[in-house]
């Protein structure tokens, strides 16, 4: 019973802590906004927000603009996360390889991506390379996010690989495992356990950075919010709602990471 209670506390602690912090900050922001609204004689129109989240027609529920934009954001983030992990792992392996060319390519890619803004990279891919390669907007958005986050994820993978004891590699070889099987069954499972916390942070960053792809006229959550503001002149209500949706996503990811960390016996930080 005691172990079960400790496990539950460990899983819920980051979520509860985040909710409490958000509540305190939210109350402070509410007080400031309410004071400012009273000074400007601004009338809040929160009652109009639900119609942009969902609507009911003939007794059937349908997602409205904001939820439809959220689905696009989640789709872009999910696909980008897969390619981010692939790019990050591949780049990390190249950084640690014996190939001078491979190490040079990996280092050049990391330094180039990490030292240029994401927005500039999106503009280059969308307006320069996209038309040449025939890339659609969705593909361009996924590629931009994957390349950007992949550079940071590569360093996380590299740190996890270099932090692993050399004896693990030697033990895999002594068992007669190929390089692929060694990484698949011995090395990567241990690396994932080590890098799960920073990897979770990169996933959260990926979701937040996905809002920047709205510059390509992709109808994600941010774009839908901007369109609603233009039609309704309710910037405060709409943007606070959009921010709350992003916040819910990141809290869910943090809670899932805590649960997964417990399952994998990841040491808490």
């Amino acid at each position: 019973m005691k172990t079960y209670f400790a496990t539950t506390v460990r899983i819920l602690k980051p979520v509860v802590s985040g909710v409490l912090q958000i509540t305190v900050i939210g109350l402070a922001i509410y007080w400031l906004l309410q004071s400012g609204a009273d000074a400007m004689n601004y009338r809040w129109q929160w009652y109009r927000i639900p119609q942009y989240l969902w609507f009911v027609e003939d007794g059937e529920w349908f997602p409205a603009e904001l939820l439809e934009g959220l689905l696009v954001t989640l789709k872009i983030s999910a696909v980008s996360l897969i390619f981010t992990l692939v790019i990050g792992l591949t780049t990390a392996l190249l950084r640690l390889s014996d190939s001078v060319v491979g190490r040079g390519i990996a280092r050049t890619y990391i330094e180039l991506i990490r030292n240029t803004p994401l927005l500039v990279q999106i503009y280059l891919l969308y307006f320069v390379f996209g038309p040449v390669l025939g890339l659609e907007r969705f593909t361009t958005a996924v590629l931009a996010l994957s390349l950007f986050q992949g550079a940071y994820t590569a360093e996380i993978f590299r740190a996890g690989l270099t932090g692993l004891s050399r004896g693990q590699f030697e033990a895999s070889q002594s068992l007669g495992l190929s390089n692929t099987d060694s990484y698949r069954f011995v090395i990567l499972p241990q690396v994932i356990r080590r890098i799960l916390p920073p990897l979770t942070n990169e996933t959260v960053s990926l979701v937040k950075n996905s809002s920047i792809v709205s510059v390509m006229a992709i109808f994600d959550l941010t774009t839908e919010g901007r369109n609603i503001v233009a039609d309704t002149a309710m910037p405060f209500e709409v943007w606070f709602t959009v921010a709350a949706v992003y916040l819910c996503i990141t809290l869910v990811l943090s809670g899932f990471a805590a649960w997964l960390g417990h399952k994998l016996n990841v040491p808490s930080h």
Side-chain angles (χ1 to χ4, degrees):
M1 184 67 181
K2 185 177 180 180
T3 304
Y4 175 78
F5 178 76
T7 300
T8 304
V9 170
R10 181 185 175 189
I11 295 175
L12 296 179
K13 183 178 179 180
V15 178
V16 173
S17 176
V19 170
L20 289 177
Q21 295 177 33
I22 293 166
T23 301
V24 173
I25 296 174
L27 290 174
I29 293 176
Y30 173 79
W31 179 79
L32 290 173
L33 290 177
Q34 192 62 42
S35 300
D38 293 339
M40 295 185 300
N41 293 321
Y42 182 81
R43 298 182 61 183
W44 296 102
Q45 303 179 65
W46 288 108
Y47 65 92
R48 299 177 59 186
I49 292 298
Q51 65 180 306
Y52 299 108
L53 292 170
W54 66 81
F55 65 92
V56 179
E57 185 175 322
D58 296 331
E60 189 173 355
W61 180 91
F62 295 95
E65 291 93 328
L66 289 180
L67 287 186
E68 288 180 345
L70 173 61
L71 294 177
V72 174
T73 293
L74 293 177
K75 183 178 179 180
I76 290 176
S77 300
V79 177
S80 299
L81 178 59
I82 295 174
F83 285 101
T84 293
L85 296 176
V86 173
I87 293 173
L89 178 59
T90 302
T91 305
L93 293 176
L94 286 175
R95 283 290 305 272
L96 299 174
S97 68
D98 297 328
S99 171
V100 177
V101 176
R103 292 198 303 270
I105 293 175
R107 180 178 290 275
T108 301
Y109 157 67
I110 292 175
E111 294 300 327
L112 180 64
I113 295 297
R114 295 181 64 176
N115 289 287
T116 54
L118 174 59
L119 185 59
V120 174
Q121 297 172 23
I122 290 177
Y123 278 135
L124 287 175
L125 285 173
Y126 184 55
F127 292 107
V128 180
F129 299 107
V132 174
L133 300 176
L135 300 178
E136 298 179 354
R137 285 179 293 182
F138 182 87
T139 305
T140 304
V142 170
L143 180 60
L145 290 173
S146 301
L147 289 174
F148 183 78
Q149 296 295 152
Y152 292 89
T153 305
E155 292 298 277
I156 295 176
F157 272 113
R158 186 171 71 91
L161 289 169
T162 55
L164 203 60
S165 171
R166 185 64 187 174
Q168 298 294 327
F169 295 89
E170 295 173 353
S172 301
Q173 294 175 357
S174 65
L175 292 174
L177 297 176
S178 63
N179 287 334
T180 302
D181 289 339
S182 296
Y183 276 97
R184 179 182 177 185
F185 297 110
V186 180
I187 306 303
L188 286 182
Q190 298 182 66
V191 170
I192 293 297
R193 291 181 63 251
R194 290 170 175 264
I195 68 174
L196 184 60
L199 206 58
T200 302
N201 293 335
E202 287 303 313
T203 303
V204 172
S205 297
L206 174 62
V207 174
K208 293 187 294 185
N209 287 335
S210 68
S211 63
I212 304 180
V213 303
S214 60
V215 299
M216 294 188 294
I218 291 180
F219 290 96
D220 66 329
L221 180 58
T222 302
T223 301
E224 294 290 4
R226 185 187 301 117
N227 293 339
I228 294 172
V229 170
D231 293 337
T232 63
M234 295 191 304
F236 300 113
E237 294 89 339
V238 173
W239 287 124
F240 273 114
T241 301
V242 170
V245 173
Y246 276 112
L247 190 59
C248 290
I249 297 174
T250 56
L251 284 177
V252 170
L253 288 174
S254 298
F256 175 75
W259 173 83
L260 187 60
H262 164 69
K263 291 294 183 181
L264 297 176
N265 295 318
V266 176
S268 58
H269 292 265

